[in-house]
Amino acid sequence: MAAVPTPRTRAGRDGLAAILAEPQRALVAFDFDGTLAPIVADPAEARAHPGAVP
């Protein structure tokens, strides 16, 4: 398992503490199309940038 990065801000530290305290209540969402993957006409064709996966 990868190490959890240390948040740089108070809000980040508070957010991480909340997730770690009650992970069953956490929602972690990522914007995929256009952020982790190029925008494509057909969403079924979306693939992550090679560096985003690791």
Side-chain angles (χ1 to χ4, degrees):
M1 185 168 155
V4 176
T6 302
R8 296 182 208 159
T9 65
R10 175 65 186 245
R13 289 188 294 274
D14 290 348
L16 179 58
I19 290 170
L20 294 176
E22 295 185 85
Q24 70 280 8
R25 297 190 61 195
L27 169 67
V28 180
F30 300 94
D31 180 15
F32 188 78
D33 192 20
T35 301
L36 298 175
I39 295 175
V40 293
D42 180 0
E45 297 297 316
R47 300 290 182 268
H49 287 289
V53 176

